[in-house]
Amino acid sequence: MQEPQTDLDLTVNGVRHNGRQVPGDMSLVHFLHEDLGLTGTKIGCSIGECRACTVAVRIRPGLPPVTRQSCMTSMRHARGWEVTTVEGLETDGALHPVQQAFLDGDVFQCGYCAAGFAVAGSVVAEHARRKRAERRDGHGGQPGEDGEEDSQDTRDLVDTVLGPHVCRCTGYDRYREAVHSVALAAADGHRAGNATAGRPPAVTGTPPSAAPPLGGRAARSVPRLTAEESQRLGYTPMFDDPTLELIRLLRDGAEIEHSLLVQYLYAAFSVKVPRFLQLAGWPSHRYGGRPLHLMGVAIEEMTHLDIVNSLLVELGSAPHLGRQQFPYEQDIYPFDFVLEPLSLHSLAKYVYVEASPSAVDPDQQQTPEDRAFVTRLYEVLGSGPAPPPPPNQVGSLYRKVTRVLELLQRREPDRLDYPAWFARLDVLREEGESEHFTLFRGLFEGTHPALLGGTDVWNPDSPDHPVLPLRHASGLPPSGRPVPDETVPVLRHLSNLHYWAVCMLLDQSYRRRGQFHNAARRHMTGPLRSLGTALAQRGEGIPFDTFVAGYAPGLGDAENLRLCQGMVRQAAVAQERYARHLPPDYAHTCALETLWELSTA
């Protein structure tokens, strides 16, 4: 993805950096290394799993710190953050107590993972200090009271925060014991865990002002569309008010992006591994540039969903994570859209959905190769002679959004950062009509690198066919009945829980300036990936059932946060209850880490 520039405004180790732009999709760890020269934060796996790149983050001033994988954090999501790296742990020339405890206990060997453990340890110590102080203030106790309870609570916190960290030298116990001892001491007034002690308060930028509520504008007269405005739009809108029309279009766009995300994930799980890992994209699922595999496209769809929902929030609307159940047909598709394994027919659908109108218009093909491709495309789609492309493909939807946004700009020029939104919408459309189309056309024609050398690859009887046949079934047990204590039903059930958790985390994140994006992606590329692969090996696909209550079913923000916690907690309960059915690579710590992260909001 060629993300447009984003305004830089974050504080690193007490020093504010702003007043210029950086690539929006640049990872935080590369910014630290290349722009600031802070190389103490290590780059390990580059997919957010080893935690060598961990930094401490305060999303907003006054909030307690949390850990973040800086290799998975884009600069567009870091605006307004206060970041502490390993270089920022020392104060007045003295090491942080966690660092000192590492030295005193000879806890590390090669030391590559030590920076991530040290930063995570400082976050543990700060949370332990805050929690024990709150307990003491609540009932007037002294620091020494309830020692056993404090010790166990602290040990649980250490296990939750440090649990996902990988140490190739296997020094886990020594790291945990060192952090545990420092965290216990922190409540007695020591400096442990306070990564910013002794520094002046960090200066952060003022967050963008919220859009005025819709109700305030509703009391004013909304001008009717003029004939000139209607002509510029190029279609007949449902509403004269451009805000309402934008919200209507963007909610349609959100459903489309969500549906494509789910379909591409389902297709990725159907790919035979390990032979076709290059096509599935599991070993390299960290997004970075033009997508070359199905997981890369799915992650870009998640980014598109992010753009659409961010604009909805900017307009004063709630984010939208809903989608219709499969199969369904919207007016944007000339065919039913279903969850299905990768095939020549499904690829024809993906090519058609992602294409620009000219790319699939028979009358606009200039070469014999392009004409043959379009003819074959419509043959596979079952359309017979190629009809003219409909005017309402996905890219056309965003062209409508852009034109309505231009209308809003003329009416309310100071409301939004319009150039930035136009740029993001251009990128969104370009990625679909260029990058995604090119990838799917290469797969359709068998020219993708993962398919080269194969024979008749899209024939299911060919030994070079890259796809497993998957059966799609709901993961919802009949009402009032338990989930059968059998492997396939359990994997389906837990897949649904993690999918629903991803949607609820994204909804919360859109309302909180991207606070839980990392957590949502962690569930998608961790437990959900593991469960999907295990199901595919048994000839099953992930159900991706919709959650009937929606992903923000609460009365208000606090209730929705608690319900999100409840969904993640349910996943933790289920994985413990059905542990014997889980695949070996299942990420058991993911749900616990997310629960801790949600508790800091």
Side-chain angles (χ1 to χ4, degrees):
M1 177 177 182
Q2 299 174 347
E3 174 74 11
Q5 301 288 95
T6 189
D7 291 330
L8 173 66
D9 189 4
L10 80 163
T11 299
V12 180
N13 298 334
V15 179
R16 185 184 178 192
H17 300 273
N18 69 337
R20 59 189 176 97
Q21 292 193 321
V22 294
D25 211 43
M26 173 187 274
S27 67
L28 176 57
V29 70
H30 283 100
F31 173 77
L32 295 174
H33 280 218
E34 298 167 13
D35 279 49
L36 303 187
L38 299 174
T39 56
T41 303
K42 300 305 179 187
I43 300 175
C45 65
S46 291
I47 56 175
E49 294 183 359
C50 74
R51 309 302 172 101
C53 67
T54 296
V55 294
V57 168
R58 297 180 197 271
I59 302 296
R60 296 188 299 275
L63 286 181
V66 293
T67 57
R68 282 287 185 273
Q69 302 107 292
S70 57
C71 76
M72 297 281 284
T73 301
S74 299
M75 292 303 293
R76 68 175 179 273
H77 290 142
R79 289 193 295 270
W81 287 9
E82 298 175 8
V83 177
T84 300
T85 70
V86 66
E87 293 93 341
L89 294 183
E90 62 85 22
T91 302
D92 298 329
L95 292 176
H96 189 284
V98 170
Q99 294 173 299
Q100 191 62 55
F102 284 3
L103 292 176
D104 294 343
D106 293 326
V107 303
F108 53 84
Q109 295 181 48
C110 80
Y112 198 83
C113 65
F117 272 104
V119 173
S122 73
V123 171
V124 170
E126 171 67 8
H127 279 267
R129 182 190 66 77
R130 285 173 175 254
K131 185 173 182 179
R132 296 182 70 193
E134 290 171 0
R135 181 186 301 165
R136 185 173 62 247
D137 294 342
H139 60 65
Q142 297 302 313
E145 296 182 3
D146 301 325
E148 292 185 7
E149 183 181 355
D150 281 347
S151 179
Q152 185 57 50
D153 287 349
T154 303
R155 193 169 294 281
D156 291 343
L157 181 60
V158 170
D159 290 343
T160 298
V161 180
L162 268 59
H165 285 247
V166 174
C167 172
R168 297 299 183 189
C169 306
T170 68
Y172 298 104
D173 287 343
R174 288 180 293 180
Y175 277 121
R176 293 185 185 191
E177 288 305 317
V179 172
H180 182 244
S181 64
V182 172
L184 281 178
D188 295 328
H190 294 181
R191 187 173 50 87
N194 187 356
T196 57
R199 289 200 203 102
V203 179
T204 60
T206 303
S209 58
L214 294 178
R217 271 192 301 278
R220 301 201 299 263
S221 175
V222 177
R224 292 185 180 182
L225 281 175
T226 65
E228 180 184 358
E229 289 173 334
S230 296
Q231 186 175 7
R232 286 182 178 178
L233 289 179
Y235 77 103
T236 302
M238 184 176 293
F239 301 108
D240 290 272
D241 184 344
T243 298
L244 287 176
E245 184 67 9
L246 277 172
I247 290 172
R248 181 184 75 84
L249 294 173
L250 290 169
R251 286 177 69 88
D252 278 349
E255 288 195 3
I256 292 167
E257 302 297 352
H258 190 167
S259 299
L260 292 176
L261 165 63
V262 168
Q263 177 62 79
Y264 296 159
L265 278 176
Y266 193 94
F269 289 126
S270 73
V271 173
K272 294 176 181 176
V273 293
R275 180 179 173 185
F276 295 100
L277 275 173
Q278 185 182 3
L279 173 56
W282 301 134
S284 56
H285 59 67
R286 178 183 178 273
Y287 176 73
R290 179 179 292 270
L292 303 176
H293 44 64
L294 293 170
M295 190 61 183
V297 174
I299 289 175
E300 279 201 344
E301 293 299 341
M302 193 172 180
T303 303
H304 295 177
L305 189 64
D306 176 38
I307 293 173
V308 172
N309 274 292
S310 296
L311 183 50
L312 278 170
V313 171
E314 194 80 3
L315 291 167
S317 172
H320 183 50
L321 271 297
R323 65 166 177 81
Q324 298 180 23
Q325 185 61 279
F326 293 111
Y328 76 91
E329 178 182 350
Q330 286 193 331
D331 59 358
I332 203 163
Y333 308 124
F335 40 71
D336 283 342
F337 209 52
V338 298
L339 288 176
E340 57 188 321
L342 198 65
S343 67
L344 192 65
H345 188 258
S346 69
L347 282 169
K349 294 181 183 180
Y350 305 157
V351 168
Y352 185 90
V353 166
E354 299 286 7
S356 66
S358 62
V360 292
D361 185 345
D363 296 333
Q364 298 191 47
Q365 308 312 307
Q366 303 299 317
T367 68
E369 293 80 9
D370 288 343
R371 287 193 289 272
F373 157 68
V374 171
T375 299
R376 177 63 174 152
L377 176 69
Y378 285 104
E379 288 176 354
V380 173
L381 286 174
S383 303
N392 56 345
Q393 290 172 290
V394 177
S396 298
L397 174 69
Y398 293 118
R399 289 186 179 88
K400 290 181 183 177
V401 170
T402 297
R403 292 194 291 270
V404 179
L405 194 62
E406 290 170 348
L407 173 60
L408 183 66
Q409 182 182 28
R410 289 191 291 273
R411 292 189 177 182
E412 301 182 52
D414 299 325
R415 182 172 175 186
L416 302 175
D417 183 356
Y418 292 99
W421 284 113
F422 289 136
R424 297 188 77 183
L425 290 168
D426 284 345
V427 167
L428 188 158
R429 189 175 62 251
E430 170 64 20
E431 283 180 348
E433 295 182 348
S434 174
E435 297 181 5
H436 297 187
F437 172 78
T438 300
L439 172 66
F440 289 132
R441 177 175 175 175
L443 291 173
F444 181 81
E445 296 183 311
T447 58
H448 186 277
L451 304 179
L452 294 179
T455 302
D456 198 16
V457 294
W458 293 118
N459 180 354
D461 296 326
S462 169
D464 297 317
H465 187 56
V467 178
L468 296 166
L470 300 186
R471 185 177 77 92
H472 182 253
S474 172
L476 301 174
S479 179
R481 297 185 185 179
V483 175
D485 193 6
E486 302 167 9
T487 298
V488 168
V490 163
L491 297 182
R492 288 179 188 154
H493 174 62
L494 201 50
S495 296
N496 270 340
L497 293 178
H498 280 288
Y499 168 55
W500 297 339
V502 166
C503 294
M504 295 179 85
L505 286 165
L506 286 174
D507 182 90
Q508 284 294 301
S509 194
Y510 295 135
R511 300 168 191 266
R512 297 168 184 268
R513 299 176 63 190
Q515 186 170 352
F516 301 122
H517 270 59
N518 275 33
R521 184 166 164 183
R522 187 168 62 233
H523 281 260
M524 188 175 84
T525 60
L528 201 59
R529 175 199 57 78
S530 172
L531 295 165
T533 302
L535 279 167
Q537 291 169 351
R538 293 164 173 81
E540 295 274 342
I542 286 184
F544 286 114
D545 292 312
T546 56
F547 183 43
V548 66
Y551 305 109
L555 188 61
D557 189 59
E559 289 81 4
N560 282 321
L561 180 63
R562 282 195 291 270
L563 290 168
C564 182
Q565 289 173 310
M567 183 64 74
V568 178
R569 192 174 294 112
Q570 188 60 51
V573 169
Q575 71 186 30
E576 182 178 350
R577 177 180 296 155
Y578 302 116
R580 68 188 181 90
H581 296 290
L582 299 181
D585 62 345
Y586 180 84
H588 290 266
T589 62
C590 180
L592 298 178
E593 185 179 4
T594 301
L595 284 172
W596 169 73
E597 192 171 318
L598 289 167
S599 72
T600 67

